């Protein structure tokens, strides 16, 4: 929960912060409005934006879905969702009743233009009754196969930007944007028939996480890190996005996706881009996204013949998480009993530019690992000459860790003298934690991102050129993995560190993964 006014005043680090810019009046229209993401994340995000006074005074929230609901039923469902999932606890009166007046529902199928005419009528009604000024933010939170058909229907139903003479029209597209390079290009071709790039907001919720945004602040609001941020001082970089959850109820989707598509191509690649990009010329959306694109372009393509040497895949077997037994991936609902889908992926990438030549970036992500941890660890080179310490004193390399979740902070590992008459050296850590430091708990990523899209700030959304390049990078691995059965599956136990092949990937370079 964000700090109360008292908390802000009490914390000197938050004094004098400018108020947030409020968005224009607008309607936010959610496709897939009765789905899981809507209930768990999207509607609670809208509610909390309201609680934080971050919504414009004139707003409408319209749900569109196949279910045969009406406004009242939708409002009830959304209230239940807030009661169950909102970070601010159950809905409070009288605020909820006022918020509920801004909620409406259109029931319709995605292939029937008449339903989009109905939606248009609802939006025009909101413009008159709620003063939403003709501004529209569409949010595609449906299965990806519906993205292109919905965009087409928006156009046919007179809801595209070209038909909107009174206000702006934007669209947020959930991930995955395509399932491979060709399908991503095909989707882009369809979406861009109706929307310009500046109106398309491809969401990657990782970019809305506070510590991810802080990567840029750490690098470009300080003088001490950037001089070291290059091949002369950095030995290697590890980016980890480890989860303890399995595929839960999403076996049907996941079994056709796998860890490389689900996490590496988007979330992890975005982290890499932020950590490795050059300083942008300005802090605006395009200057930052230009640099992210440039660094992705500099990643050395993986030779198909070297996929096995430069990547590792795994699939979890039964095991235990936090002391509780959990089933193997192939026993999960809606997963094929002989599935060849990876639930763990690790990749070694090299960036061919002046800053990073020769520095390996090791990326990994997996489900059912020992702990939930997302972090970026920069390991610096070893000292050029050893002066102190007995032979028995290990002189560890310095490591800077940007902790993304569940801990949010920065930790610097360095060597220090052990107090006493002898010159013994031990590695110690200097830790900063956002929560205790600033006295706030970060808002969930979706709040930040929906708020940004309403304000027209695309900085934290992925531009098409980056999406396309990220697909190009993973395609050789994807092709190989799809076309060869991994006979070692299942090859790691739930609750472990991933498959042995992942350890070998680093061992070949004389390195080790950080423990998850
Ligand atoms: C989603 C993936 O994009 O990110 C999920 O589809 C994954 O499979 C999730 O569990 C992880 O997000 P977070 O915020 O929990 O790290």
């Amino acid at each position: 929960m964000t700090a109360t006014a008292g908390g802000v005043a009490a914390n000197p680090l938050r004094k004098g912060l400018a108020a947030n810019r409020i968005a224009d009046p607008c309607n936010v229209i959610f496709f897939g409005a009765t789905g899981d993401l809507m209930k768990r994340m999207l509607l609670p995000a809208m509610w909390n934006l309201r609680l934080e006074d971050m919504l414009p005074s004139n707003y409408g929230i319209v749900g569109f879905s196949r279910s045969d609901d009406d406004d009242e039923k939708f409002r009830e469902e959304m209230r239940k969702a807030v009661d169950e999932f909102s970070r601010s606890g159950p809905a409070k009166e009288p605020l909820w009743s006022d918020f509920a007046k801004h909620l409406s529902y259109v029931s319709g199928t995605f292939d029937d233009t008449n339903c989009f005419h109905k939606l248009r009528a609802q939006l025009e009604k909101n413009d008159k009754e709620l003063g939403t000024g003709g501004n529209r933010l569409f949010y595609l939170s449906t299965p990806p196969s519906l993205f292109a058909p919905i965009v087409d229907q928006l156009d046919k139903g007179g809801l595209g930007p070209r038909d909107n003479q009174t206000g702006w029209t934007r669209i947020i597209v959930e991930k995955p944007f395509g399932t491979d390079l060709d399908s991503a290009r095909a989707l882009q071709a369809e979406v861009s028939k109706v929307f310009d790039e500046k109106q398309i907001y491809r969401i990657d919720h990782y970019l809305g996480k506070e510590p991810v945004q802080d990567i840029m602040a750490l690098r470009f609001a300080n003088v001490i890190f950037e001089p070291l941020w290059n091949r002369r001082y950095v030995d290697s970089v590890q980016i980890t996005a480890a989860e303890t959850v399995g595929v839960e109820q999403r076996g049907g989707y996941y079994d056709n996706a796998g860890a490389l598509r689900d996490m590496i191509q988007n979330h992890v690649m975005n982290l890499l881009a932020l950590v490795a990009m050059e300083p942008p010329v300005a802090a605006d959306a395009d200057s930052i996204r230009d640099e992210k694109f440039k660094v992705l372009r500099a990643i050395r393509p993986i030779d198909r013949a070297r996929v096995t040497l430069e990547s590792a895949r795994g699939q979890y077997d039964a095991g235990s998480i936090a002391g509780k037994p959990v089933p193997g991936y192939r026993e999960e609902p809606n997963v094929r009993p002989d599935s060849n889908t990876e639930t763990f992926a690790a990749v070694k990438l090299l960036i061919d530019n002046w800053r990073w030549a020769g520095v390996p970036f090791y990326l990994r992500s997996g489900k059912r690992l020992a702990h939930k941890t997302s972090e970026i660890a920069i390991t610096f080179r070893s000292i050029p000459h050893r002066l102190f310490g007995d032979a028995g004193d290990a002189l560890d390399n310095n490591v800077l860790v940007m902790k993304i979740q569940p801990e949010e902070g920065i930790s610097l590992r360095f060597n220090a003298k052990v107090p006493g008459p002898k010159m013994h050296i031990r590695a110690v850590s200097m830790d900063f934690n956002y929560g205790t430091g600033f006295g706030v708990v970060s808002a969930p990523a979706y709040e930040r991102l929906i708020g940004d899209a309403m304000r027209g700030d695309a900085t934290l959304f992925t531009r098409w050129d980056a999406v396309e390049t990220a697909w190009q990078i993973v395609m050789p691995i994807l092709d190989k993995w799809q076309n060869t059965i991994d006979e070692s599956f299942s090859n790691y136990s739930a609750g472990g560190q991933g498959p042995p092949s992942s350890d070998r990937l680093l061992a070949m370079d004389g390195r080790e993964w950080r423990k998850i």
Side-chain angles (χ1 to χ4, degrees):
M1 203 164 308
T2 49
T4 58
V8 171
N11 189 316
L13 292 181
R14 307 196 73 229
K15 264 192 193 147
L17 294 183
N20 292 302
R21 193 163 72 80
I22 298 289
D24 298 333
C26 62
N27 279 298
V28 186
I29 306 98
F30 292 97
F31 291 99
T34 48
D36 204 48
L37 188 67
M38 180 72 172
K39 290 181 186 156
R40 282 176 185 273
M41 297 287 177
L42 305 181
L43 202 278
M46 295 302 292
W47 166 244
N48 284 303
L49 284 170
R50 170 68 192 88
L51 293 186
E52 302 280 327
D53 274 334
M54 299 280 285
L55 289 184
S57 45
N58 300 336
Y59 66 94
I61 298 170
V62 183
F64 183 109
S65 198
R66 266 191 288 248
S67 314
D68 199 16
D69 291 355
D70 57 17
D71 288 353
E72 275 321 306
K73 179 91 194 309
F74 180 61
R75 288 171 185 159
E76 262 170 49
E77 289 295 309
M78 294 302 110
R79 182 170 187 148
K80 278 193 217 145
V82 164
D83 287 346
E84 191 173 355
F85 298 114
S86 167
R87 70 187 173 97
S88 52
K92 296 175 197 60
E93 290 295 356
L95 219 50
W96 174 264
S97 296
D98 175 67
F99 181 77
K101 287 185 200 143
H102 298 250
L103 299 180
S104 50
Y105 183 77
V106 176
S107 159
T109 52
F110 297 107
D111 51 1
D112 180 355
T113 309
N114 284 329
C115 301
F116 285 74
H117 290 146
K118 253 187 351 191
L119 173 60
R120 185 174 169 173
Q122 177 68 48
L123 297 180
E124 286 169 355
K125 182 167 172 252
N126 283 1
D127 286 343
K128 281 204 199 87
E129 293 176 4
L130 300 174
T132 38
N135 297 321
R136 293 162 187 171
L137 174 62
F138 295 107
Y139 195 125
L140 303 188
S141 161
T142 61
S145 56
L146 294 171
F147 294 167
I150 292 174
V151 169
D152 181 46
Q153 289 295 351
L154 285 173
D155 194 30
K156 290 192 178 126
L159 285 164
R162 281 185 290 268
D163 288 313
N164 187 353
Q165 306 304 329
T166 46
W168 48 254
T169 304
R170 302 178 189 135
I171 190 163
I172 300 182
V173 188
E174 256 302 329
K175 70 170 269 271
F177 199 90
T179 52
D180 58 16
L181 182 58
D182 288 345
S183 62
R185 282 180 173 154
L187 175 58
Q188 173 63 11
E190 290 304 312
V191 178
S192 58
K193 278 185 197 155
V194 180
F195 291 89
D196 286 344
E197 183 60 30
K198 291 227 175 303
Q199 296 159 333
I200 307 172
Y201 290 68
R202 293 177 202 78
I203 202 161
D204 179 322
H205 78 281
Y206 257 62
L207 293 177
K209 293 181 192 278
E210 281 288 339
V212 173
Q213 295 164 52
D214 195 53
I215 297 170
M216 277 196 291
L218 180 85
R219 293 190 55 194
F220 307 129
N222 293 293
V223 76
I224 59 172
F225 301 111
E226 204 48 25
L228 307 178
W229 216 263
N230 57 57
R231 63 185 298 276
R232 278 185 297 283
Y233 296 99
V234 175
D235 167 79
S236 58
V237 178
Q238 292 188 14
I239 307 182
T240 300
E243 300 182 271
T244 48
V245 290
V247 287
E248 302 184 290
Q249 303 315 312
R250 297 163 72 227
Y253 149 76
Y254 196 89
D255 208 35
N256 292 309
L260 193 65
R261 282 193 179 96
D262 187 51
M263 296 289 290
I264 303 272
Q265 185 271 344
N266 37 77
H267 305 321
V268 179
M269 213 60 95
N270 260 314
L271 297 181
L272 179 149
L274 285 171
V275 141
M277 72 183 189
E278 294 301 312
V281 291
D284 59 78
D286 271 331
S287 303
I288 292 170
R289 297 189 304 171
D290 286 348
E291 297 308 329
K292 287 177 65 186
F293 167 57
K294 271 158 59 182
V295 76
L296 292 178
R297 263 191 54 205
I299 291 178
R300 184 182 303 176
I302 295 186
D303 189 332
R304 269 155 220 268
R306 293 185 55 82
V307 167
T308 323
L309 294 173
E310 284 167 17
S311 64
R313 57 176 157 163
Q315 188 186 76
Y316 63 82
D317 205 345
S320 76
I321 299 275
K324 290 209 181 96
V326 292
Y329 176 67
R330 291 178 182 181
E331 281 103 60
E332 300 276 18
N334 300 322
V335 167
R336 287 167 283 235
D338 59 348
S339 174
N340 188 45
T341 300
E342 82 285 355
T343 58
F344 176 100
V347 185
K348 170 184 168 184
L349 296 175
L350 292 168
I351 301 177
D352 286 335
N353 65 14
W354 275 55
R355 186 188 283 264
W356 294 117
V359 178
F361 283 69
Y362 301 105
L363 323 181
R364 68 179 159 167
S365 179
K367 296 211 180 274
R368 289 280 193 232
L369 295 169
H371 293 105
K372 183 172 173 74
T373 322
S374 294
E375 61 166 41
I376 303 171
I378 316 254
T379 301
F380 293 89
R381 288 182 184 276
S382 43
I383 50 167
H385 168 67
R386 183 183 172 123
L387 201 54
F388 304 118
D390 286 356
D393 287 349
L395 281 194
D396 291 358
N397 291 20
N398 297 138
V399 185
L400 179 72
V401 185
M402 287 162 265
K403 299 178 181 178
I404 294 160
Q405 64 184 17
E407 258 184 274
E408 303 185 336
I410 294 166
S411 158
L412 179 64
R413 196 141 175 89
F414 61 100
N415 295 310
K417 177 182 174 300
V418 181
K422 284 198 165 175
M423 196 64 180
H424 280 303
I425 305 287
R426 288 285 180 276
V428 295
S429 282
M430 207 153 64
D431 291 307
F432 168 73
N433 176 291
Y434 289 101
T436 46
F438 287 103
V440 289
V441 174
S442 309
Y446 279 103
E447 266 169 55
R448 168 67 199 252
L449 295 172
I450 297 175
D452 280 2
M454 289 168 81
R455 284 188 297 275
D457 182 350
T459 311
L460 301 178
F461 293 83
T462 316
R463 213 167 57 185
W464 164 243
D465 50 8
V467 173
E468 184 181 38
T469 310
W471 276 121
Q472 280 166 335
I473 294 164
V474 299
M475 276 322 290
I477 310 175
L478 212 53
D479 277 347
K480 172 93 185 195
W481 287 3
Q482 274 184 173
N483 295 318
T484 49
I485 307 271
D486 192 322
E487 303 290 350
S488 74
F489 280 2
S490 304
N491 57 2
Y492 70 98
S493 303
Q497 299 284 317
S501 53
S502 163
D503 293 333
R504 283 199 295 273
L505 181 71
L506 268 70
M508 278 190 296
D509 294 346
R511 298 190 178 89
E512 278 179 7
W513 286 111
R514 287 166 55 78
K515 194 152 193 270
I516 291 172

